[in-house]
Amino acid sequence: MLNARNALADPMPIAPANELRWTVEEASKLLTMPFNDLLFRAHAVHREHFNPNQIQLSTLLNIKSGGCPEDCAYCPQSARYDTGVEASPLMSVEQVTAAALKAKAAGASRFCMGAAWRAPKDKEVAQVAELVTAIKGLGMETCVTLGMLKPTQAETLKSAGLDYYNHNLDTSPEHYGDVITTRTYQDRLNTLSAVRDAGINVCCGGIVGLGEDVADRAGLLCQLANLPVPPESVPINQLVRVEGTPLANEKPVDCFDVVRTIAAARIMMPASYVRLSAGRRELGEAGQALAYFAGANSVFYGEQLLTTPNPGQNEDLDLFARLGIDTMAASG
Ligand code: SAM
Ligand code: DTB
Ligand code: SF4
């Protein structure tokens, strides 16, 4: 039995094993209902589960840039596309610690380190584990995104103190093959279960603007919401169109469709942090304010994402002040 729910009244129960919490049809209905009805409903769910005036800030650092063998059609770091992004070696503990200290001083509570790998070698996981331990020592939460992970590698990272692992499903299973051919959807699900089994929080979301339709967006959200345990953190990225990638000339997404995706994610995963991720510059201040109303309660904070620009810290702090939004502090 599939259970549609009244999001205004009914907090999300944990579904029994093998029971889907959401169908693609239900998710499509959310994504296409009148905008004001959707936002009203999403905001009500948001208030039931979170302080609506508080936001979590994560700062990203690209600890190993470019030269990636994968063919993700959106990605400036794939070695297959001529995007001007240079391949660089893994950063040192000193370089990473200096960046994390800056991020903490600027108000970030979590430090997220990204590496342009298909899948790290054990030796590389050991090096990243040292980075994780160093950043934990600064009193910040840690997150890494390193590509596909084996269970033993996830355990190594957990022992080093890793709080979150980011690994996105990106789009629906149906649209996936049009975007990436060098790893499968199942590969991604396997990494997510290795991370979950190691006791690390899961950060998993996707991208809008990959040429998908509403059913694909609904399909992605259902995959996320129907995981055995929904991700603690759900990044919703708008495609950053980078010259040289196959998706450089993809049609831009309507800003209201970004907000709709955030709202549906909030309703379908009421207890998760929903992160308004790449694409905030394109959304503008009013679009971002709508997304926060719709239930986004986390952002990437800092003037650069991995290789592309993000709003400046002062711009963000100014907008939060104008909206009466407080930021979550680092723990130590
Ligand atoms: N190489 C690792 C992997 O793919 O798992 C980690 C880094 S990868 C850059 C992390 C995520 O960033 C991707 O899964 C994708 O969702 C997002 N991303 C990459 N390029 C993007 C772009 N141009 N626009 C929006 N999101 C993007
Ligand atoms: C996520 O979902 N978005 C971030 C992070 N996880 C690693 C990456 C966005 C990358 C945008 C393109 C770039 O800056 O290279
Ligand atoms: Fe490589 Fe990750 Fe970029 Fe795909 S998204 S090309 S795996 S860095």
Side-chain angles (χ1 to χ4, degrees):
M1 256 281 279
L2 303 171
N3 44 12
R5 70 194 74 258
N6 174 352
L8 281 178
D10 187 15
M12 172 78 72
I14 296 299
N18 302 324
E19 187 178 336
L20 297 181
R21 296 185 191 93
W22 288 90
T23 65
V24 175
E25 201 182 28
E26 288 165 350
S28 298
K29 267 193 194 151
L30 289 177
L31 288 166
T32 53
M33 66 169 52
F35 188 75
N36 286 342
D37 290 347
L38 175 61
L39 259 65
F40 179 75
R41 188 166 158 180
H43 188 71
V45 172
H46 191 38
R47 273 181 182 267
E48 271 180 33
H49 292 84
F50 290 98
N51 175 346
N53 304 311
Q54 196 176 49
I55 201 158
Q56 187 275 327
L57 307 181
S58 291
T59 292
L60 264 176
L61 180 68
N62 205 7
I63 58 171
K64 193 262 160 245
S65 180
C68 182
E70 300 286 273
D71 71 351
C72 312
Y74 47 75
C75 186
Q77 301 200 75
S78 166
R80 296 165 190 248
Y81 316 132
D82 190 6
T83 62
V85 172
E86 299 280 320
S88 71
L90 184 63
M91 283 184 177
S92 67
V93 177
E94 292 71 27
Q95 287 172 307
V96 174
T97 305
L101 278 171
K102 264 193 180 171
K104 186 182 176 191
S109 64
R110 190 176 309 158
F111 197 65
C112 304
M113 296 167 270
W117 285 320
R118 165 182 164 77
K121 301 185 182 83
D122 287 348
K123 189 176 145 233
E124 291 164 335
V125 170
Q127 290 171 315
V128 172
E130 278 184 39
L131 300 176
V132 167
T133 305
I135 306 310
K136 278 299 279 182
L138 305 177
M140 294 183 88
E141 290 181 329
T142 52
C143 177
V144 297
T145 178
L146 314 174
M148 291 186 284
L149 219 55
K150 291 183 290 194
T152 50
Q153 297 179 323
E155 285 155 20
T156 301
L157 292 170
K158 173 68 185 175
S159 304
L162 184 68
D163 296 298
Y164 290 81
Y165 193 85
N166 168 241
H167 196 65
N168 291 339
L169 289 174
D170 282 346
T171 189
S172 67
E174 294 76 17
H175 190 53
Y176 183 85
D178 295 337
V179 182
I180 299 137
T181 70
T182 49
R183 72 172 73 154
T184 65
Y185 214 79
Q186 189 58 48
D187 287 332
R188 290 185 186 252
L189 293 168
N190 293 347
T191 291
L192 294 174
S193 60
V195 168
R196 177 61 77 205
D197 289 349
I200 301 168
N201 292 306
V202 171
C203 174
C204 182
I207 308 179
V208 294
L210 300 174
E212 75 285 349
D213 59 23
V214 169
D216 292 314
R217 285 181 199 153
L220 166 69
L221 293 174
C222 284
Q223 288 289 326
L224 297 168
N226 292 330
L227 283 170
V229 178
E232 281 75 15
S233 165
V234 179
I236 302 294
N237 297 274
Q238 184 178 349
L239 174 69
V240 182
R241 294 173 303 153
V242 178
E243 206 58 53
T245 62
L247 294 175
N249 298 316
E250 197 57 50
K251 192 168 148 278
V253 183
D254 181 344
C255 63
F256 301 124
D257 288 340
V258 177
V259 176
R260 281 176 179 281
T261 308
I262 294 278
R266 166 53 63 225
I267 292 167
M268 293 170 67
M269 292 167 276
S272 304
Y273 279 81
V274 175
R275 183 175 305 134
L276 180 60
S277 301
R280 286 199 294 122
R281 284 165 96 233
E282 291 70 17
L283 211 49
E285 289 187 333
Q288 290 177 69
L290 273 178
Y292 302 139
F293 182 79
N297 57 352
S298 170
V299 291
F300 286 122
Y301 173 67
E303 60 196 27
Q304 180 146 318
L305 291 162
L306 290 173
T307 66
T308 64
N310 196 40
Q313 290 170 339
N314 288 342
E315 253 176 273
D316 279 340
L317 296 179
D318 174 65
L319 180 59
F320 298 148
R322 284 154 65 206
L323 298 175
I325 291 177
D326 293 327
T327 60
M328 284 173 56
S331 54

